Amino acid sequence: MHLDALWRILAGLVLCPLLFGVINRVKAKFAGRQGQPLLQTYFDLAKLLRKGAVYSATSSWVFPLGPMLGLACALAALCLAPLGGQPGLFSFEGDLFLFAGLLSLGRFATAAAALDTGSSFEGMGASREMQFAVPAELAQILGLAALAQATGTYSLAGMLALLDMAHWTAAGPVLALTATALFLVLLAETCRIPVDDPTTHLELTMIHEVMVLDHSGPDFAFILYGQGIKLWALGAVLTGLVIPARGDALLDPAFGALGIFGLALAIGIAESSMARLRLLLVPRLLVGATALSGLALILLLR
Amino acid sequence: MLSLVEFILVGLVLTNLVLLGTSRIGLCIRMVAFQGVGLALLPLLGHGEFELSSLVISGATALLKGWAFPTLLFRSLESAHVRAEVEPYVGYSNSLLFGVAALGVSVWLGGRMPVPGPGVPQLLTPVAFFTILVGLFGIVTRRKAVSQVVSYLVLENGIFAFGAVALRKAQLLVEMGILLDVFVAVFVMGIAIFRINREFDHIDADRLASLKE
């Protein structure tokens, strides 16, 4: 257990809603609007937490469990995610599988809660989410396995701390492939364009938003906050890969955090410059991500 | 210099994956053109010293694969009024998965083969095998005649990649001969596509099986 990681976790907990503000601000600038305040997500969370939750009479205990389990999984994943190559709260050999597993457990909880409402509409969203999760998870595991092969260690913090300039000059193309694959996985996991449009309320194309339609009040706040934490944790791993580590305990996390906000900027630019893909094309994109990380792994294994 | 060769080889693999995963024939033609230009650099980089013969091969390859073939193919695409491949025998996601499997097989095969000579990148044999496999796969699974021609060019690119770096002696004559053959083949296929399209109003190769007098 790394107690010095507490302030890094704290930074993630406090700053992650700001990521949505940055993304929204970039999109607003591209559209020529002024946009909502940067801190809007904080206001939303505070408003939602003050409200009461409404539960349908047909739903069971699974329904309120979904958001709680989802948030718990995201928090646990955040505790594992290293920021700028410095370890998270916990770090051990093989924690990359736990990291991926926690994210999919959170997804399972959300999907189960969506199914529990008995609405066929939400079932449709859950089915889509799970369908896209299959190739996304494969791409993520293969990508992390490629990183493990490149560095020779199976802990997230260990491999990201070892990825320095020397690795990038020696195996630059392979690491770039992995980073691209992990970026596509991040877009799919956090429901951003081109996989899913977080602002859409067009019934036919919604994926994640469909599943959380019936949640209200604190439950919805949990889901919103969990999304933010998930974005932060995945972004931390991705920026840890992209920004070469120098082993500085103070500067590296600062650069990592800056990198995550740069990532939010990149997501905002991607969201304003392209439309979401047709539903049929999404699996193809994610299988493409799988192919990229599989290619990286094969290139390293040879 | 070696790392630049590896860079081109990785680019070859990526364009192959795009070729497997896209339905747009125009994009496929552009990808093959990219492959051709990238491959044209290989004879220059493989030797270390610049020779006139490798310069001639590079120039001819770049001109043919980067300009002549795309122009010909785009022209036959326009005359046939085709934009996209509709319903190939194997879907695009499955094609991509085949690509990953084929890459694994080629790496395994390449690992069992001796490297053709000193200074040849280890990646070369697997990537050449992979490109050949992707070309074969495309010829078998795509319906439109233009896509099949594109796949044929991919197949040829794989063979060229193998030859460009691996064979060093007396390659000018061989490479020029192959290039001429391929040029004639693409030329003839372009004319054939035009004729097929004029007779039948489509270029679906599978529907030509029930040809009658």
Side-chain angles (χ1 to χ4, degrees), chain A residues 168-213:
Chain A
W168 268 98
T169 43
V174 176
L175 291 181
L177 285 179
T178 321
T180 315
L182 287 183
F183 180 63
L184 291 176
V185 169
L186 180 140
L187 289 180
E189 288 271 355
T190 55
C191 320
R192 313 303 308 193
I193 290 174
V195 175
D196 186 8
D197 188 352
T199 56
T200 186
H201 283 279
L202 182 66
E203 295 172 353
L204 288 175
T205 62
M206 290 156 73
I207 301 172
H208 180 76
E209 291 300 312
V210 168
M211 292 201 300
V212 301
L213 267 184

Side-chain angles (χ1 to χ4, degrees), chain A residues 138 170 173-174 177 278 280 283-285 287-288 290-292 294-295 298-299 301-302, chain B residues 6-7 10 13-14 17 21-24 92-93 96-97 100 103-104 107 122-123 126:
Chain A
L138 196 58
V174 176
L177 285 179
R278 276 188 291 147
L280 283 174
R284 214 191 286 176
L285 176 83
V287 171
T290 311
L292 288 185
L295 171 61
I298 287 173
L299 289 180
L301 277 179
R302 85 196 143 84
Chain B
E6 289 200 326
F7 194 70
V10 171
V13 175
L14 289 183
L17 290 177
T22 183
S23 61
R24 308 268 162 163
Y92 299 105
S93 298
L96 274 173
L97 288 179
V100 176
L103 190 61
V107 168
Q122 279 205 329
L123 209 52

Side-chain angles (χ1 to χ4, degrees), chain B residues 112-126:
Chain B
R112 294 174 68 86
M113 270 184 64
V115 181
V120 175
Q122 279 205 329
L123 209 52
L124 177 75
T125 329

Side-chain angles (χ1 to χ4, degrees), chain A residues 284 287, chain B residues 14-29 31-32 77 82-100 130 133-155 189 193 196 202-209:
Chain A
R284 214 191 286 176
V287 171
Chain B
L14 289 183
T15 44
N16 280 336
L17 290 177
V18 174
L19 281 165
L20 284 174
T22 183
S23 61
R24 308 268 162 163
I25 300 179
L27 184 64
C28 286
I29 295 175
M31 284 299 136
V32 174
L77 204 60
V82 184
R83 284 272 163 273
E85 178 83 21
V86 191
E87 285 187 12
Y89 292 108
V90 180
Y92 299 105
S93 298
N94 287 342
S95 300
L96 274 173
L97 288 179
F98 164 83
V100 176
F130 177 56
L133 281 178
V134 168
L136 269 179
F137 184 77
I139 291 178
V140 174
T141 59
R142 298 290 148 100
R143 271 172 211 261
K144 301 282 181 207
V146 179
S147 321
Q148 296 182 351
V149 177
V150 169
S151 307
Y152 167 74
L153 281 176
V154 175
L155 178 69
M189 284 193 250
I193 289 171
I196 293 172
H202 64 78
I203 52 169
D204 291 4
D206 61 316
R207 281 159 68 192
L208 299 179

